[in-house]
Amino acid sequence: MGSKYTKRYTEEFKRDAIALVDSSGKTVTAVARELGISSESRRGWYRKAKADRGEGTPGELSSAEREELKRLRRENREQQQTIEILKKATAESTG
């Protein structure tokens, strides 16, 4: 089983690791091994960077689009809660 502790890497570290893959001609796995990080983590960073540059797979969201979607879902949830509160208040005042 893996550790419950998850390493956190700075955005700068991630950018540098991505740039290293792009500039060195080495595979994602080789760069991950050299940096001592999980190749799966590294692959995810690389995939995300490609999507942010518009080079991702069709339908894949960029970071900005993911953030906007998260914000819109939160707003929608808050509005639904407000609607439910108003419905209850209206029912109580007319009932």
Side-chain angles (χ1 to χ4, degrees), residues 41-93:
S41 292
R42 182 66 199 86
R43 230 177 249 110
W45 301 344
Y46 194 70
R47 192 170 30 251
K48 182 179 170 188
K50 284 182 71 171
D52 288 348
R53 293 190 309 249
E55 301 169 4
T57 59
E60 188 172 11
L61 300 177
S62 69
S63 294
E65 291 168 327
R66 275 192 302 279
E67 285 302 313
E68 181 182 18
L69 182 58
K70 190 188 315 185
R71 180 185 60 78
L72 291 171
R73 285 180 174 164
R74 183 177 51 250
E75 272 182 31
N76 189 9
R77 186 172 51 252
E78 290 169 358
Q79 289 174 352
Q80 290 298 322
Q81 291 171 346
T82 301
I83 289 168
E84 288 304 313
I85 291 169
L86 292 174
K87 280 182 183 178
K88 288 178 183 177
T90 303
E92 289 174 5
S93 66

Side-chain angles (χ1 to χ4, degrees), residues 17-37:
I18 291 163
L20 187 57
V21 171
D22 290 336
S23 65
S24 69
K26 296 178 182 178
T27 66
V28 172
T29 304
V31 170
R33 191 177 303 120
E34 287 176 12
L35 296 176
I37 58 177

Side-chain angles (χ1 to χ4, degrees), residues 2-21:
S3 169
K4 290 184 181 183
Y5 174 75
T6 303
K7 286 186 181 178
R8 300 283 182 205
Y9 299 99
T10 65
E11 289 303 314
E12 181 181 18
F13 179 85
K14 292 176 185 180
R15 278 193 307 274
D16 290 348
I18 291 163
L20 187 57
V21 171

